[in-house]
Structures are given as C-alpha cells and as structure tokens.
C-alpha cells in the first residue's frame, strides 16, 4: 500500500508538471519540444542511470530539485531495502512539496489565461 500511494503521488507530480507546461506554452508542439528539455535532464540527474555519488558536486546539489530523484529513492527503499515511511519521510515531503508548488503555479497561470 505504501508503494502504491507514493507512486500515485509521483504520478500527481508528473501530471502537475504537464499541466504547468501546457499553461506556459502556446501550442502543443511547443509543449512537446519543451518537455524534451525537461525530461532528459530529469532522467540524467535522478540517479536511475548513474549513481548520484558519481556526479560532480554541482549536479548532486541540483538533483535535489528533481522529483524523479526522490521517487527513485523511495522505490529503491521500499522494493529493495524494505524500509518504511519512517525512513522515507523526507522524500515523501519533497514529492508533496513539488506537487503543491507545480500545481499552484499551473492553476495561477491557467486563471490568468482565462482572464
């Protein structure tokens, strides 16, 4: 249940990011091209392909702003290590923060478009 609930939280973060892109960009083609410039660095700095410890210090700090890094840490913790919420709470709070910030930005941009 913990894995399913935290995975649904990450899906919510992804949806919030998509809604934000859709409200910022003017056309569907612009959203698609912009998502390439967002998704590739997110995957590269998430720790899924190469370990975060092998990255330069600048990118290690920058990866803290990556919601995928926190989700990868949660998935590894639950599925591989068998840890619970008592260990992963900081990453859960980070995902929740990303969801709230991205959704609030997209809602305010959408309301400005309607006005």
């Amino acid at each position: 249940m913990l894995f399913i609930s935290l995975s649904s939280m990450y899906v919510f973060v992804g949806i919030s990011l998509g809604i934000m892109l859709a409200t910022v960009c003017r056309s569907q083609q612009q959203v698609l091209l912009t998502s390439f410039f967002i998704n590739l660095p997110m995957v590269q700095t998430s720790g899924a392909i190469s370990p975060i410890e092998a990255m330069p210090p600048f990118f290690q700090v920058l990866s803290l702003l990556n919601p995928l890094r926190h989700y990868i840490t949660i998935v590894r913790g639950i599925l591989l290590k068998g840890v619970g919420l008592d260990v992963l709470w900081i990453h859960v709070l980070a995902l929740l923060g990303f969801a709230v910030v991205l959704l609030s930005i997209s809602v305010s941009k959408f309301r400005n478009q309607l006005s």
Side-chain angles (χ1 to χ4, degrees):
M1 286 305 288
L2 181 64
F3 176 71
I4 291 172
S5 63
L6 294 179
S7 292
S8 63
M9 184 184 297
Y10 180 71
V11 168
F12 187 69
V13 170
I15 290 171
S16 300
L17 183 63
I19 291 172
M20 188 189 72
L21 281 177
T23 57
V24 170
C25 298
R26 294 184 187 137
S27 67
Q28 183 179 3
Q29 185 179 15
Q30 191 176 12
V31 171
L32 183 69
L33 293 173
T34 306
S35 69
F36 284 126
F37 289 106
I38 292 175
N39 288 333
L40 187 62
M42 280 180 62
V43 171
Q44 293 291 331
T45 61
S46 69
I49 295 175
S50 63
I52 295 174
E53 295 80 19
M55 295 179 193
F58 173 75
F59 289 111
Q60 289 180 8
V61 173
L62 191 65
S63 72
L64 292 171
L65 300 174
N66 186 355
L68 185 57
R69 174 194 176 170
H70 299 286
Y71 179 67
I72 295 287
T73 305
I74 288 171
V75 168
R76 284 184 180 154
I78 293 173
L79 296 180
L80 297 178
K81 299 176 185 175
V83 297
L85 195 57
D86 55 336
V87 176
L88 300 172
W89 66 272
I90 190 75
H91 299 289
V92 173
L93 285 179
L95 278 182
L96 187 64
F98 283 120
V100 167
V101 167
L102 290 173
L103 193 62
S104 63
I105 290 172
S106 61
V107 165
S108 69
K109 292 282 187 183
F110 186 70
R111 286 188 182 173
N112 289 339
Q113 284 182 355
L114 291 178
S115 298

